[in-house]
């Protein structure tokens, strides 16, 4: 099983962007004759997440999904909420990358995820000793895990 992160081009800024599920969809009911207090939280599937990107990315989400399925890949929402493509082997992944390059050019990229390597959490500003912020520039220190704050 090979997983690869999906990077689209943002329609507004033309930067590589990855759709991320921030929190599950919350579904409730409105009853005609009584109050219904039941809600269900359910995360989107990879297919649903891609379909919601229509207009925000430079490619047609339906065409992208069709290509992924034709190359025997599956769209999934990974543990960190990011969109990934799963294939059974390198042959399917190579075929998918070739098909994406032929149909979309540089508008879609796949980044292969290395098994066993933890992904780096997103921080608004990376700490880099060589790059210090300008005087008067906005600087936000990296977030600390909750375990540091509790003690």
């Amino acid at each position: 099983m090979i997983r690869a992160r999906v990077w689209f081009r943002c329609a507004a800024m033309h930067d590589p962007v990855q759709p991320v599920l921030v929190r599950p969809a919350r579904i409730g009911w409105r009853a005609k004759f009584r109050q219904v207090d039941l809600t269900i939280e359910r995360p989107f599937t990879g297919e649903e997440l891609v379909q919601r990107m229509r207009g925000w990315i430079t490619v047609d989400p339906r065409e992208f999904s069709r290509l992924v399925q034709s190359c025997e890949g599956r769209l999934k929402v990974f543990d960190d909420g990011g969109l990934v493509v799963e294939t059974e082997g390198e042959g399917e992944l190579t075929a998918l990358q070739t098909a994406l390059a032929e149909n979309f050019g540089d508008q879609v990229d796949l980044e292969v995820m290395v098994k066993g390597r933890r992904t780096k959490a997103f921080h608004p500003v990376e700490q880099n000793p060589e790059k210090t912020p300008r005087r008067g520039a906005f600087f936000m220190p990296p977030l600390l895990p909750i375990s540091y704050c509790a003690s």
Side-chain angles (χ1 to χ4, degrees), residues 34-53:
R34 68 181 122 253
Q35 175 88 16
V36 179
D37 294 329
L38 180 64
T39 59
I40 297 172
E41 287 190 6
R42 183 184 68 82
F44 292 133
T45 64
E47 184 75 27
E48 290 171 331
L49 185 58
V50 168
Q51 297 306 318
R52 303 232 181 239
M53 295 295 105

Side-chain angles (χ1 to χ4, degrees), residues 94-108:
T94 305
L96 178 59
Q97 287 175 325
T98 304
L100 290 173
E102 288 173 0
N103 287 296
F104 302 124
D106 65 347
Q107 300 302 305
V108 179

Side-chain angles (χ1 to χ4, degrees), residues 40-99:
I40 297 172
E41 287 190 6
R42 183 184 68 82
F44 292 133
T45 64
E47 184 75 27
E48 290 171 331
L49 185 58
V50 168
Q51 297 306 318
R52 303 232 181 239
M53 295 295 105
R54 187 171 187 196
W56 294 98
I57 56 177
T58 57
V59 300
D60 181 21
R62 287 177 283 181
E63 184 67 22
F64 172 76
S65 296
R66 187 190 62 76
L67 275 173
V68 170
Q69 290 175 356
S70 70
C71 293
E72 299 187 18
R74 291 176 299 281
L75 291 168
K76 302 267 184 166
V77 176
F78 200 57
D79 298 338
D80 65 354
L83 182 67
V84 298
V85 172
E86 286 185 346
T87 59
E88 290 297 324
E90 287 186 33
E92 290 88 359
L93 184 63
T94 305
L96 178 59
Q97 287 175 325
T98 304

Side-chain angles (χ1 to χ4, degrees), residues 13-27:
M13 302 303 291
H14 299 287
D15 290 335
V17 293
Q18 180 188 34
V20 176
L21 183 65
V22 176
R23 63 178 164 217
R26 194 168 183 190
I27 303 166

